[in-house]
């Protein structure tokens, strides 16, 4: 390890790293992000290590544990370089074949390649896989190439060159102006212009000034920030240091939620290595600029992601929001000027400094520039992280990248923006995804989660789920949010169970208006979106629950019943043997019958009935026929 004392030293180190590496040497990159680790990536890594030692090849073939490349649906992911052969769903038992066939003989292991479901053709490299083909990956493209625990991997790919340029060629004011011209908007959900926030913080009176990374990602189904912090922490750190230089800050914080232990580990090591290499601490790269960073582990509360709540937590208080009579850029952490941006925002900064504001402005829509990372989850074939230019339509994201809906089900809608976002119906799928278009539809960009819902999802139940989540996560400090969410949950519970009344819709709308107007923070003001958007777009489902006492999606337990068609039943007894209530018995004719007085409507009989038979009928009161 060499401590860098100048800009020239950084360039020399990069040159030395590249010259010491043999690009023709076989290298096996294995995704070691949280998603793949849960699917057995650690066993795959160990299997490679043990097999290479057994064959005496441990010095000829390099094993690299990397960050998440996004295709979480198909983990564990393994890429064999230099050819870049992309294998999916790899298990430890597949390791001998990969070594013997692909690395030693140059052959492909067909069963591990991605097969296009339409053409049935195998994709050999990443760019041939539809999931990646339609993306524009600037932020997460290097995750599969970098060992996040080795700073030299990041430097070899050009890392910290933007910092060097900012410190040696630009004044702090010029850095801010470049970010302003790029029109970068905060990726944490609010979409506030980043350059304006930085300028306001720099010009605010008072010292010291603080810069903070918000990695308190609490949205259900969201893991964009986690993947960046786990897989490429130096990209975030570089952006943070540049921001600190621009705003005149000498102290920064990385706030990471407690549930992200791997992100904490990799970020902690990144800080340690950056200090050792002279990229953090005193006299960075010999330029005279001093800056250091501490990591704070959040308690896990969803509301702690709100800027003032996060700063309260950093100060050692309970992570509750406080009134914003004065912007945090003027009076934030410990009453000093503070700039808070999320992980993805900071990761964009080195790209802007390196390639210029004009380049960044060439991507996206008129008011939403650059790319955005989304977590694509729910009822979609290809789940994972996707990075696309702002303005790509929901339809393209779901069908071109996501591969459509499983089981050829009908798409019902999309929930964007986390629990405080709205549900957008299928008829708006051609809407460009950016900050303003989603807001106009009653939803929001949020941190970037996209949850796909199909015809089997009940809009009322979905709204109740998110309200229930937010009810639990509300800090309770202000009455509109605390009591409003409780009352909303009570009403939605009643509607879902068939006890709703025709005045409930108006009551929900009145509560929502009060919460939107009077809540202390953004949680309460936006918590109404799931309810208002479902009433706006799926009013017929509310009416069916309230007036007809039925659930059109056959989802709400209280409004659904199960029976067995004797003309179809083959008498396999699977339903009777697996019923937890013993509610299924055989009649005199030997056919299975459901005792409705005992049935708890768990749906096990419906799920376990052989698909070729489908004798169990699920139906809702007042709904003719049923759904098999």
């Amino acid at each position: 390890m060499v401590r860098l004392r100048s800009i020239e030293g950084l360039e020399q180190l990069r040159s030395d790293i590249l010259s010491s590496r043999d690009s023709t040497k076989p290298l096996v990159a294995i995704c070691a992000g949280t998603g793949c680790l849960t699917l057995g990536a650690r066993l795959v890594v160990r299997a490679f290590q043990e097999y290479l030692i057994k064959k005496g090849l441990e010095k000829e073939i390099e094993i690299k544990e990397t960050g998440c490349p996004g295709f979480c649906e198909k983990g564990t992911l393994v890429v064999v370089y230099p050819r870049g052969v992309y294998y999916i769903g790899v298990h430890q038992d597949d390791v001998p074949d990969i070594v013997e066939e692909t690395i030693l003989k140059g052959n492909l292991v067909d069963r591990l390649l991605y097969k296009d479901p339409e053409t049935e053709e195998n994709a050999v490299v990443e760019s041939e896989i539809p999931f990646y083909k339609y993306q524009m990956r600037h932020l997460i493209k290097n995750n599969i190439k970098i060992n996040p625990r080795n700073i030299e991997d990041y430097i070899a790919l050009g890392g910290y060159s933007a910092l060097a340029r900012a410190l040696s060629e630009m004044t702090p004011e010029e850095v801010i102006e470049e970010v302003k011209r790029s029109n970068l908007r905060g990726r944490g959900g609010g979409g506030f212009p980043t350059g304006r926030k930085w300028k306001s913080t720099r010009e605010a009176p008072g010292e010291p000034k603080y810069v903070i990374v918000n990695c308190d990602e609490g949205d259900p189904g969201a893991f964009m920030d986690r993947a960046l912090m786990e897989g490429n922490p130096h990209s975030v750190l570089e952006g943070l240091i540049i921001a600190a230089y621009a705003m005149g800050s000498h102290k920064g914080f990385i706030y990471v939620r407690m549930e992200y232990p791997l992100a904490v580990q990799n970020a902690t090591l990144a800080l340690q290595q950056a200090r050792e290499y002279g990229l953090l601490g005193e006299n960075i790269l010999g330029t005279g600029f001093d800056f250091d960073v501490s990591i704070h582990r959040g308690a896990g509360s969803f509301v702690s992601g709100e800027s003032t709540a996060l700063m309260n937590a950093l100060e050692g208080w309970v992570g509750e929001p406080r009134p914003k009579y004065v912007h945090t850029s003027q009076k934030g952490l410990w009453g000093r000027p503070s700039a808070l941006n999320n992980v993805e925002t900071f990761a964009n900064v080195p790209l802007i400094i390196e390639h210029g504001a004009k380049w960044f402005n060439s991507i996206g829509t008129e008011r939403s520039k650059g790319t955005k990372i989304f977590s694509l989850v729910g009822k979609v074939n290809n789940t994972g992280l996707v990075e696309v230019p702002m303005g790509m339509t929901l339809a393209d994201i779901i069908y071109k990248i996501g591969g459509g809906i499983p089981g050829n089900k009908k798409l019902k809608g999309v929930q964007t923006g986390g629990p405080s976002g709205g549900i957008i119906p299928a008829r708006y799928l051609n809407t460009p995804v950016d900050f303003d278009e989603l807001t106009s539809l009653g939803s929001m960009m949020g941190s970037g989660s996209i949850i796909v819902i199909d015809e089997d999802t009940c809009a009322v139940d979905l709204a109740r789920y998110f309200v229930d989540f937010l009810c639990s996560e509300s800090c309770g400090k202000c009455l509109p949010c605390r009591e409003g969410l409780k009352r909303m949950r009570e009403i939605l519970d009643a509607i879902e169970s068939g006890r709703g009344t025709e005045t409930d819709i108006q009551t929900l709308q009145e509560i929502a208006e009060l919460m939107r107007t009077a809540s202390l923070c953004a949680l309460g003001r936006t918590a109404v979106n799931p309810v208002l958007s479902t009433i706006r777009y799926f009013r017929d489902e509310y009416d069916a629950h309230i007036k007809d006492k039925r659930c059109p999606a056959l989802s709400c337990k209280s409004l659904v019943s199960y029976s067995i068609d004797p003309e179809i039943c083959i008498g396999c007894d699977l339903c009777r043997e697996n019923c937890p209530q013993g509610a299924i018995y055989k009649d005199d004719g030997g056919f299975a019958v459901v005792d409705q007085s005992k049935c708890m409507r768990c749906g096990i009989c419906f799920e376990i009935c052989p698909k070729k038979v489908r004798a169990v009928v699920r139906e809702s009161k007042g709904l003719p026929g049923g759904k098999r």
Side-chain angles (χ1 to χ4, degrees):
M1 188 273 291
V2 178
R3 182 172 180 82
L4 304 173
R5 303 184 185 281
S6 66
I7 303 296
E8 293 75 20
L10 174 64
E11 294 306 316
Q12 183 60 52
L13 174 61
R14 179 176 294 112
S15 177
D16 292 344
I17 294 171
L18 291 173
S19 62
S20 68
R21 296 184 174 185
D22 183 358
S23 60
T24 64
K25 179 181 178 179
L27 184 152
V28 180
I30 304 169
C31 170
T34 295
C36 281
L37 286 175
T38 61
L39 293 170
R42 184 64 61 209
L43 296 175
V44 175
V45 172
R46 189 177 302 124
F48 268 108
Q49 292 170 339
E50 292 174 353
Y51 194 81
L52 293 180
I53 292 174
K54 177 182 176 182
K55 292 288 185 176
L57 298 170
E58 66 272 19
K59 294 183 179 179
E60 283 72 33
I61 300 171
E62 181 183 353
I63 303 298
K64 180 177 291 188
E65 298 179 45
T66 73
C68 170
F71 206 1
C72 306
E73 178 75 20
K74 303 298 183 182
T76 295
L77 304 172
V78 172
V79 183
V80 182
Y81 294 102
R83 187 177 175 186
V85 178
Y86 203 102
Y87 286 137
I88 63 175
V90 177
H91 298 278
Q92 56 184 330
D93 295 339
D94 298 316
V95 168
D97 284 346
I98 294 176
V99 174
E100 298 292 341
E101 293 298 322
T102 303
I103 298 178
L104 298 181
K105 298 179 182 178
N107 299 325
L108 299 173
V109 183
D110 287 348
R111 72 175 186 278
L112 299 177
L113 294 172
Y114 176 86
K115 179 178 287 188
D116 190 294
E118 295 183 2
T119 65
E120 295 191 349
E121 293 182 358
N122 287 332
V124 177
V125 296
E126 180 183 279
S127 60
E128 296 174 353
I129 301 174
F131 179 80
Y132 293 114
K133 186 187 299 183
Y134 299 102
Q135 296 188 44
M136 181 182 286
R137 305 198 315 149
H138 293 152
L139 297 174
I140 59 176
K141 68 178 180 180
N142 287 330
N143 273 19
I144 196 64
K145 301 175 183 177
I146 289 176
N147 176 352
R149 295 170 176 264
N150 183 357
I151 189 174
E152 292 192 356
D153 275 6
Y154 182 68
I155 292 175
L157 293 175
Y160 289 108
S161 59
L163 172 63
R165 179 169 184 262
L167 294 179
S168 63
E169 301 177 19
M170 304 172 74
T171 65
E173 292 80 7
E174 287 173 338
V175 172
I176 291 176
E177 285 304 310
E178 191 72 11
V179 174
K180 283 181 66 177
R181 284 195 296 270
S182 75
N183 292 304
L184 172 65
R185 296 173 66 173
R187 298 309 200 237
F192 191 83
T194 303
R196 281 174 51 191
K197 179 184 289 189
W198 289 12
K199 181 178 175 63
S200 177
T201 304
R202 177 171 179 81
E203 294 177 349
E207 294 291 341
K209 301 181 192 294
Y210 299 105
V211 287
I212 308 164
V213 178
N214 185 350
C215 191
D216 189 66
E217 184 178 47
D219 294 1
F223 52 102
M224 300 77 63
D225 292 347
R226 186 192 75 197
L228 274 174
M229 192 62 79
E230 287 178 357
N232 197 355
H234 286 284
S235 67
V236 183
L237 179 57
E238 184 178 8
L240 178 64
I241 302 171
I242 293 171
Y245 169 71
M247 286 177 271
S249 171
H250 301 287
K251 180 61 179 177
F253 296 89
I254 298 177
Y255 186 102
V256 188
R257 67 187 295 105
M258 185 66 72
E259 293 88 342
Y260 286 0
L262 184 58
V264 171
Q265 292 172 19
N266 290 354
T268 300
L269 185 57
L271 295 181
Q272 177 185 326
Q273 291 178 342
R275 291 190 192 100
E276 292 173 350
Y277 277 72
L279 294 162
L280 198 62
E282 296 182 358
N283 194 23
I284 296 173
L285 292 176
T287 62
F289 176 60
D290 303 334
F291 178 69
D292 211 341
V293 182
S294 299
I295 291 181
H296 182 95
R297 299 191 70 173
S301 171
F302 176 74
V303 76
S304 292
E306 194 273 340
S307 59
T308 59
L310 187 150
M311 292 180 193
N312 271 342
L314 282 174
E315 292 175 5
W317 304 102
V318 175
E320 295 178 344
R322 57 193 184 209
K324 289 185 179 178
Y325 303 122
V326 180
H327 290 300
T328 54
S329 60
Q330 306 292 313
K331 187 177 180 182
L333 189 60
W334 289 297
R336 298 290 187 258
S338 306
L340 174 75
N341 287 114
N342 92 318
V343 168
E344 190 178 344
T345 308
F346 280 115
N348 269 293
V349 172
L351 298 176
I352 292 170
I353 299 301
E354 186 70 16
H355 301 289
K358 184 177 181 181
W359 167 82
F360 194 81
N361 263 303
S362 69
I363 306 166
T365 63
E366 182 179 354
R367 289 173 50 82
S368 299
K369 300 298 184 179
T371 63
K372 178 73 185 77
I373 305 174
F374 294 96
S375 60
L376 183 62
V377 296
K379 300 298 180 67
V380 63
N381 282 309
N382 299 330
T383 60
L385 291 180
V386 303
E387 183 180 354
V388 298
M390 291 279 199
M392 178 176 274
T393 66
L394 286 168
D396 284 346
I397 293 173
I398 294 169
Y399 287 99
K400 287 185 177 180
I401 298 174
I405 316 303
N408 293 317
K409 294 277 188 175
K410 183 180 178 182
L411 177 68
K412 187 171 196 171
V414 178
Q415 201 270 352
T416 67
S420 299
I423 290 84
I424 301 170
R427 64 179 179 272
Y428 291 113
L429 278 188
N430 287 323
T431 298
V433 178
D434 64 17
F435 290 103
D436 305 308
E437 291 289 343
L438 293 180
T439 301
S440 70
L441 292 175
S443 188
M444 59 192 289
M445 177 80 74
S447 59
S449 62
I450 296 179
I451 303 175
V452 182
I453 58 178
D454 67 9
E455 58 187 293
D456 292 335
T457 304
C458 173
V460 179
D461 182 54
L462 191 63
R464 187 209 59 80
Y465 167 81
F466 285 117
V467 167
D468 184 60
F469 173 84
L470 292 166
C471 193
S472 300
E473 295 295 335
S474 170
C475 72
K477 191 172 183 178
C478 74
L479 186 143
C481 177
R482 181 184 70 240
E483 300 302 322
L485 282 169
K486 288 180 182 177
R487 183 66 182 127
M488 274 187 169
R489 182 171 63 181
E490 291 172 0
I491 294 172
L492 291 169
D493 280 341
I495 294 174
E496 190 180 46
S497 63
R499 297 180 288 108
T501 66
E502 295 193 16
T503 61
D504 284 345
I505 302 297
Q506 181 178 347
T507 304
L508 286 170
Q509 291 171 326
E510 290 174 353
I511 294 172
E513 184 59 32
L514 174 63
M515 290 175 60
R516 179 179 279 175
T517 303
S519 292
L520 175 64
C521 78
L523 187 150
R525 293 193 293 271
T526 60
V528 303
N529 287 335
V531 176
L532 292 181
S533 63
T534 50
I535 291 175
R536 176 181 176 183
Y537 297 121
F538 302 98
R539 178 62 181 266
D540 58 327
E541 291 195 34
Y542 279 88
D543 290 339
H545 283 72
I546 294 171
K547 297 177 182 178
D548 303 331
K549 310 302 178 186
R550 65 181 179 87
C551 175
L554 304 178
S555 173
C556 299
K557 282 187 177 182
S558 298
L559 302 180
V560 172
S561 63
Y562 295 88
S563 60
I564 300 171
D565 189 337
E567 294 184 3
I568 299 177
C569 179
I570 60 174
C572 67
D573 258 5
L574 284 174
C575 58
R576 186 171 66 85
E577 292 170 357
N578 287 277
C579 178
Q581 294 295 102
I584 300 177
Y585 64 93
K586 283 194 173 182
D587 63 11
D588 295 339
F591 296 106
V593 178
V594 179
D595 183 343
Q596 299 297 332
S597 65
K598 293 182 179 180
C599 179
M600 61 182 290
R601 300 177 175 87
C602 64
I604 291 177
C605 59
F606 182 81
E607 298 299 331
I608 207 167
C609 184
K611 292 183 179 180
K612 292 182 179 180
V613 180
R614 284 302 187 200
V616 179
V617 179
R618 179 175 60 184
E619 57 188 351
S620 187
K621 299 173 183 178
L623 187 66
K627 183 179 288 187
R628 289 193 177 88

